[in-house]
Amino acid sequence: MEESLEKILTNYRNNEGNIITILQDLEETFGYIPEEAVNWFSKRLKIPASRFFGIATFYAQFHLKPRGKNIITVCRGTACHVKGSERLLNRLFIELDIPAGEDTSDDLKFTVEKVNCLGACGIAPVVVFNKEVHGKMTLDKLMRDLKSINTDE
Ligand code: FES
């Protein structure tokens, strides 16, 4: 980790960067913002860790916990809700064995996210598998798509 952090620090200094640059590099490198990395930068740059966390929690693009290798996003906007997105969501949590109150499976294979309208209401309900949009989703299709991700390893 140390080597990656040094690289990010150099990038920050070369670009007269700001904290967001560091957070973006951390997110890209680790897939989330590790607490120990924030503490490392806090010490090196003499900036309180709370400033890093304040910014990281403000922007939805940053994640404070490790995320799954596969990201599945379920739309919960009105059109998708009316067409059964809640059932899809519940099935995903059961199928992927994601603990209550969490969004990522223990084996870090899957993270299930919820969003409010992806702007594709015409093909509701919408589920996004690793940035690939799948519309008019049904429970059967969801299970098929899930299997195809599982076997892609
Ligand atoms: S409500 Fe789901 S795409 Fe708009």
Side-chain angles (χ1 to χ4, degrees), residues 4-146:
S4 301
L5 299 183
E6 288 288 355
K7 225 160 96 186
I8 293 171
L9 184 61
T10 305
N11 186 30
Y12 167 84
R13 288 189 168 134
N14 288 345
N15 295 307
E16 293 174 30
N18 55 38
I19 291 176
I20 289 184
T21 312
I22 293 175
L23 293 173
Q24 283 170 333
D25 285 349
L26 286 173
E27 184 80 30
E28 199 182 305
T29 304
F30 301 105
Y32 76 110
I33 313 288
E35 191 179 338
E36 60 264 44
V38 168
N39 291 333
W40 188 90
F41 280 107
S42 170
K43 268 191 199 133
R44 291 290 290 266
L45 298 172
K46 299 186 184 359
I47 297 171
S50 59
R51 278 198 51 207
F52 288 88
F53 289 121
I55 294 169
T57 50
F58 183 79
Y59 293 101
Q61 72 184 100
F62 299 123
H63 304 90
L64 296 176
K65 288 197 285 186
R67 302 169 81 219
K69 185 173 164 237
N70 298 288
I71 309 292
I72 303 175
T73 308
V74 179
C75 180
R76 296 173 87 198
T78 307
C80 290
H81 179 77
V82 167
K83 299 233 172 169
S85 65
E86 212 58 35
R87 272 187 309 144
L88 300 172
L89 204 50
N90 292 338
R91 182 68 180 270
L92 275 176
F93 279 99
I94 291 168
E95 203 66 35
L96 300 174
D97 204 18
I98 296 177
E102 297 293 330
D103 58 8
T104 299
S105 57
D106 287 339
D107 59 8
L108 294 179
K109 272 191 183 173
F110 293 96
T111 290
V112 175
E113 295 179 333
K114 306 161 198 168
V115 287
N116 296 318
C117 192
L118 289 158
C121 310
I123 56 167
V126 181
V127 177
V128 181
F129 291 88
N130 295 325
K131 296 187 179 163
E132 197 177 292
V133 177
H134 295 229
K136 298 189 185 290
M137 187 56 71
T138 62
L139 280 175
D140 286 347
K141 195 165 175 281
L142 182 69
M143 290 304 103
R144 277 200 306 275
D145 291 346
L146 201 55

